[in-house]
Amino acid sequence: MGAGSMLPALVVESLPRLTRAIKQFAKHPDDDAAYALADELTGINAMVAEKFTNDRTADGIQKALQLTVGCVSLGLDHALPDEDDLAALDLLIDEGAEHAFQIGFRMIKELSALPEDALVGEYDTDPVYAARRMRDKFIDICQADPNQNWDGTARYAVQFKQRKEVQAVVRLAGWLRRHNTEGPVSDADLNAEGVIALAIIFAVEGGGRVVARTGQKEFERFVKSVRKNKPDYEAGWAELVAKVPVQHHPVLLERIDSYRQTCTVLQNIKGRTAMKTLFAELENYAGSELDADYS
Amino acid sequence: MSEKSNLPALSKQVTELVLAGSLSHAEEAFAEAADQFGDLAVVEVLNNIPPQVTALHMAGFDGGKMSLTTLLVPPKAWADSLAFIAATWPDDQIEDDPERIAESLFAHIHGVAFATDDEERRNELLAAASATDYGATIFAILFSLAPKEILEVAGEVISKGPYLTGQTSTDSDIVPVAIALAQASEDGWDRALFELFPEFRHSADLADAEYDDDPDAEPSILQRSTKELLYRLRKQVPSTRVAKTSRRSVGTNIFS
């Protein structure tokens, strides 16, 4: 070490949980359990290589080993978030490495099934693409060199939180589409933010209508109606909120608040802005959720 | 090693000596036992020691040196020990010089099968040895040293049945073993052939197959190479470690 040891430790070692658990054997030797664990891990390694990498090359088996280490570690971290590494070793001995791997793998499946983006296309629901995304996510999170620091569990938590938020947006948009006053909208492509923007903008007119899809002609009628009747925006939004089920409220209220502050369409309706300009602004919010035809 | 086995002390002694690498001392113990109690004592011990120990011991005596076990090993014990014969082959040598390993394997098989002139014992040995998957692979390895001659023998076996003479275009050491195997076990002979020529499902098809001598020509029939078969045999070596866990693997359900 020499001079190096004079420096403060800036890097905290965070090896994969599986490595840390196995190191506990040094203090708590148990030959039979160690052999059994080695057998199980080897078996998992072989199955991962067969399914995800390449079980006919040394490189494929090496990659599968890293995925095995990461996925078992992810499962252990999830099952025992606040316990020490000896507890993790106990779980491996009592329940088996396959059990820990299964926990981790189910987490990956759950994460990859969540929407990554509020723009949902037909590829996002295609099973072939879904399987590929699952594999990519498995590699993204679980690739772990057993002797190097690994932050897969932390990255998993961040991504999971982000995707849960996106999922809430997509679900609200889905509800709005199904309850569109003019009849349910079915379209493989979904611009969830666009749907929500339309519903919030049109809600200011009042009357409790749900607008999830519309066109230029309807928008022109809406603008004329708002300019003539000068409705209370807040009352209209309250009617919309009352219609939407409570589990979607956090997203809806957050978006209403945002559009209340910044939505240029709502701000400019009150003035003398040209219809053409207003519609162009609406397109910025609603995008592909506007019907192309003038009807 | 069962508790009730006879000569437990001798079995234990031989096992320990072999595992410690003292083959000559183990052989001495065999010789003493044979002098003192007769050959059956050696047979009894060979029946009792673990097959991987038998394999280790016998592998040390192929070719020039002779072992009592070569003469006395019971067919079943020999067949079991063959499963472990690939365990000690160095990877480098499989890669660089597969023929040399195959030839020493041939020396071992030939040495045991032809150690005595007792035809009945030879048939029993070859039938037992070829009755397992790894046994079929072992004979396929030997045959891969002379594939052309083996195809000729295969043709003769089909046309002449048990009256085959073994006349082949060239003189190969492999042919007598192949003929002895075909006579000892029709099933074992077929399995070894199909291991070497995996595309065939019936040995009669092989009788019509032509072997092409030209090394540059596109091979007309699929044949596994010696090296490939050595790796196959290596993969078939069973694990001797006994798993202490009662937990059953869930298999690919780990992905569910």
Side-chain angles (χ1 to χ4, degrees):
Chain A
M1 290 293 150
S5 59
M6 304 293 286
L7 295 167
L10 296 174
V11 179
V12 179
E13 187 182 62
S14 60
L15 295 174
R17 191 74 176 271
L18 175 62
T19 308
R20 280 148 50 197
I22 289 172
K23 285 187 170 189
Q24 294 294 317
F25 270 130
K27 278 178 257 167
H28 311 271
D30 180 346
D31 277 358
D32 288 349
Y35 277 132
L37 180 57
D39 264 346
E40 287 187 4
L41 290 170
T42 316
I44 297 169
N45 196 155
M47 289 188 279
V48 171
E50 194 182 353
K51 196 170 163 70
F52 291 102
T53 60
N54 184 348
D55 62 348
R56 300 172 67 89
T57 64
D59 191 45
I61 289 163
Q62 173 68 19
K63 281 201 175 103
L65 180 137
Q66 300 194 340
L67 293 171
T68 304
V69 170
C71 194
V72 170
S73 298
L74 183 66
L76 289 173
D77 281 341
H78 182 79
L80 306 164
D82 303 313
E83 292 179 63
D84 60 11
D85 297 333
L86 186 58
L89 183 60
D90 285 343
L91 187 142
L92 287 170
I93 293 171
D94 296 340
E95 307 283 337
E98 289 189 351
H99 177 70
F101 181 92
Q102 202 174 34
I103 296 173
F105 198 77
R106 283 179 180 166
M107 291 167 69
I108 296 293
K109 280 213 281 196
E110 189 186 357
L111 179 64
S112 84
L114 290 172
E116 190 175 3
D117 197 289
L119 285 167
V120 182
E122 60 178 315
Y123 289 130
D124 294 291
T125 45
D126 185 301
V128 175
Y129 285 85
R132 188 178 295 174
R133 281 197 307 277
M134 212 276 295
R135 180 179 180 277
D136 290 348
K137 194 43 67 188
F138 183 41
I139 291 167
D140 173 35
I141 299 283
C142 291
Q143 200 159 53
D145 184 322
N147 295 310
Q148 305 235 329
N149 289 352
W150 175 76
D151 64 346
T153 300
R155 282 190 299 116
Y156 180 92
V158 170
Q159 292 185 21
F160 188 77
K161 184 167 173 291
Q162 283 168 347
R163 289 191 176 211
K164 271 289 184 192
E165 287 163 7
V166 173
Q167 185 192 42
V169 172
V170 170
R171 284 189 170 165
L172 169 60
W175 186 93
L176 292 168
R177 273 190 161 183
R178 285 194 303 280
H179 296 83
N180 184 34
T181 305
E182 298 288 304
V185 178
S186 63
D187 183 346
D189 292 336
L190 168 71
N191 174 354
E193 293 289 2
V195 169
I196 297 170
L198 277 182
I200 292 174
I201 290 169
F202 277 76
V204 301
E205 194 185 0
R209 289 172 73 236
V210 176
V211 178
R213 171 69 65 98
T214 194
Q216 189 173 349
K217 200 175 170 188
E218 167 65 12
F219 180 65
E220 288 170 3
R221 184 209 58 75
F222 162 78
V223 172
K224 285 172 192 155
S225 157
V226 170
R227 284 181 172 169
K228 188 170 156 233
N229 299 325
K230 299 191 172 45
D232 175 9
Y233 286 8
E234 297 298 332
W237 285 331
E239 278 177 279
L240 177 65
V241 171
K243 283 201 115 177
V244 172
V246 67
Q247 66 267 28
H248 299 305
H249 282 186
V251 179
L252 182 60
L253 293 172
E254 207 257 334
R255 292 296 184 283
I256 288 174
D257 189 46
S258 154
Y259 289 137
R260 180 189 289 127
Q261 321 276 346
T262 62
C263 179
T264 54
V265 176
L266 294 175
Q267 283 163 5
N268 294 341
I269 274 187
K270 293 170 177 165
R272 300 188 145 271
T273 312
M275 189 65 82
K276 216 175 120 193
T277 316
L278 271 183
F279 188 70
E281 277 171 359
L282 181 70
E283 281 182 316
N284 287 338
Y285 288 97
S288 57
E289 297 298 326
L290 287 170
D291 285 328
D293 304 337
Y294 184 82
S295 59
Chain B
M1 222 182 302
S2 75
E3 294 296 319
K4 282 181 284 181
S5 65
N6 297 321
L7 306 164
L10 183 57
S11 298
K12 187 162 179 284
Q13 185 195 6
V14 168
T15 301
E16 281 171 1
L17 285 169
V18 171
L19 291 179
S22 298
L23 299 190
S24 56
H25 288 106
E27 192 62 24
E28 245 171 59
F30 273 133
E32 273 172 31
D35 286 345
Q36 204 174 341
F37 307 109
D39 289 352
L40 278 176
V42 178
V43 174
E44 180 67 25
V45 170
L46 285 169
N47 265 328
N48 284 322
I49 61 179
Q52 66 271 26
V53 177
T54 314
L56 208 52
H57 184 69
M58 294 184 77
F61 288 93
D62 60 344
K65 291 172 283 178
M66 278 289 278
S67 162
L68 267 177
T69 56
T70 314
L71 296 163
L72 296 171
V73 64
K76 179 76 172 62
W78 184 50
D80 290 345
S81 78
L82 289 176
F84 297 92
I85 205 154
T88 53
W89 293 342
D91 276 336
D92 290 351
Q93 206 178 350
I94 298 182
E95 196 57 41
D96 300 339
D97 199 359
E99 281 76 18
R100 203 167 129 202
I101 297 185
E103 273 158 20
S104 85
L105 184 62
F106 169 73
H108 175 74
I109 302 289
H110 187 275
V112 174
F114 290 87
T116 65
D117 292 332
D118 181 350
E119 206 166 311
E120 204 177 315
R121 173 170 158 84
R122 181 178 311 150
N123 286 345
E124 276 176 38
L125 282 165
L126 291 171
S130 62
T132 57
D133 286 347
Y134 45 82
T137 310
I138 285 175
F139 284 105
I141 291 169
L142 308 191
F143 295 172
S144 74
L145 294 172
K148 183 174 183 233
E149 288 77 6
I150 292 303
L151 274 180
E152 290 171 5
V153 173
E156 225 193 325
V157 167
I158 294 300
S159 57
K160 297 189 188 153
Y163 306 106
L164 76 168
T165 56
Q167 295 293 328
T168 54
S169 54
T170 57
D171 212 16
S172 169
D173 295 345
I174 310 293
V175 171
V177 175
I179 291 170
L181 175 62
Q183 285 167 336
S185 165
E186 200 182 327
D187 206 38
W189 162 248
D190 278 357
R191 279 149 50 87
L193 275 185
F194 300 151
E195 182 76 7
L196 179 61
F197 302 108
E199 272 180 356
F200 289 90
R201 288 289 166 272
H202 192 277
S203 44
D205 302 337
L206 275 166
D208 304 327
E210 289 283 326
Y211 191 81
D212 199 345
D213 267 335
D214 183 359
D216 297 328
E218 190 74 17
S220 55
I221 46 172
L222 183 67
Q223 184 216 318
R224 290 199 173 108
S225 69
T226 305
K227 189 197 285 184
E228 202 179 334
L229 288 162
L230 290 173
Y231 277 121
R232 273 175 78 81
L233 186 60
R234 165 65 75 78
K235 279 191 187 159
Q236 288 167 326
V237 175
S239 168
T240 58
R241 209 175 64 220
V242 189
K244 295 271 168 55
T245 174
S246 59
R247 191 163 46 233
R248 295 281 295 274
S249 168
V250 300
T252 50
N253 270 342
I254 58 169
F255 302 121
S256 68

